[in-house]
């Protein structure tokens, strides 16, 4: 009877060992699938954020570039009347350079392409307002020397409006990026 007892005990131990290995593997597979699903979900969210944030980041950068060009144009345009430390020829060269830089920016179509990548209607409306004011300001700048007083006031009003609108849109873009 000693041999049969040993065989039965050995069989029970072997069965318990196989069962415990099977259960351990099952638990391991379950944890692996859960981790894989979490990694897949994290990758999906990251990719979605990258795809949806790219147009917003591009718009934010293009607005900053446009604001810089606008500021240079306003400074150079106003300098036509107020600066006395440089000659008239130097004033004209600075203004011409600012106008050419702005003209290149407007005619390149880069900003319009960036706007066309957007999907947020509120953001598009605000940006379109800035862009139309920006183009009107550009028109005024081309003929700044011959503007009437009311047009000069409109020039100042538009430049101030754009300067305040751009940070508002930048803040809205940042808010949209945080929501992604």
């Amino acid at each position: 009877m000693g041999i049969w007892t040993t065989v039965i005990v050995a069989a029970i131990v072997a069965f318990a060992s196989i069962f415990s290995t099977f259960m351990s593997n099952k638990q391991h597979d379950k944890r692996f699938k859960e981790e894989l699903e979490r990694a897949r979900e994290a990758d999906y969210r990251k990719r979605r954020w990258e795809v949806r944030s790219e147009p917003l980041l591009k718009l934010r950068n293009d607005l900053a570039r446009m604001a810089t060009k606008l500021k240079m144009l306003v400074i150079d345009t106003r300098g036509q009347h107020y600066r006395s430390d440089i000659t008239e020829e130097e004033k004209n060269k600075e203004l011409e350079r600012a106008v050419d830089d702005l003209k290149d920016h407007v005619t390149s179509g880069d900003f319009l392409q960036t706007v066309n990548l957007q999907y947020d209607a509120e953001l598009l409306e605000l940006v379109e307002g800035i862009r139309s004011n920006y183009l009107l300001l550009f028109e005024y700048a081309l003929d700044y020397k011959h503007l009437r007083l009311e047009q000069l006031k409109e020039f100042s009003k538009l430049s101030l409006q754009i300067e305040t609108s751009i940070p508002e849109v930048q803040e809205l873009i940042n808010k949209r990026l945080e929501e992604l």
Side-chain angles (χ1 to χ4, degrees), residues 91-127:
K91 287 180 188 179
N92 288 336
K93 279 186 179 183
E94 284 182 4
L95 181 59
E96 187 177 314
R97 187 180 62 247
V99 168
D100 287 345
D101 190 32
L102 192 57
K103 186 187 267 184
D104 290 344
H105 180 68
V106 169
T107 59
S108 73
D110 291 340
F111 185 71
L112 191 56
Q113 181 182 11
T114 300
V115 169
N116 288 332
L117 288 172
Q118 303 308 311
Y119 52 87
D120 186 315
E122 179 185 6
L123 196 57
L124 281 171
E125 185 179 318
L126 292 171
V127 169

Side-chain angles (χ1 to χ4, degrees), residues 1-93:
M1 178 144 143
I3 292 180
W4 285 108
T5 306
T6 306
V7 169
I8 291 175
V9 169
I12 291 174
V13 169
F15 179 72
S17 176
I18 290 172
F19 181 74
S20 114
T21 303
F22 175 75
M23 292 305 288
S24 176
N25 282 342
K26 189 175 178 180
Q27 278 296 91
H28 178 70
D29 287 348
K30 183 179 177 182
R31 275 195 313 266
F32 178 74
K33 287 178 182 177
E34 288 172 355
E35 288 176 21
L36 186 62
E37 186 60 35
R38 275 193 295 263
R40 189 178 298 139
E41 181 66 29
D43 188 49
Y44 170 77
R45 280 192 308 262
K46 180 181 176 195
R47 178 68 184 138
R48 184 172 179 249
W49 189 90
E50 287 171 358
V51 167
R52 295 194 60 157
S53 68
E54 184 180 348
L56 291 170
L57 293 170
K58 188 167 173 58
L59 180 63
R60 188 173 68 182
N61 291 337
D62 283 356
L63 278 171
R65 186 177 305 113
M66 184 172 68
T68 302
K69 291 179 183 308
L70 172 68
K71 192 69 166 177
M72 293 307 299
L73 178 70
V74 170
I75 289 170
D76 289 340
T77 303
R78 287 185 178 155
Q80 291 290 309
H81 291 286
Y82 304 116
R83 289 185 66 187
S84 60
D85 60 331
I86 61 174
T87 67
E88 193 67 31
E89 185 179 316
E90 290 172 323
K91 287 180 188 179
N92 288 336
K93 279 186 179 183

Side-chain angles (χ1 to χ4, degrees), residues 125-140:
E125 185 179 318
L126 292 171
V127 169
E128 184 55 36
I130 290 173
R131 192 178 76 80
S132 63
N133 287 342
Y134 186 59
L135 292 173
L136 184 56
L137 194 66
F138 177 66
E139 296 279 330
Y140 282 148

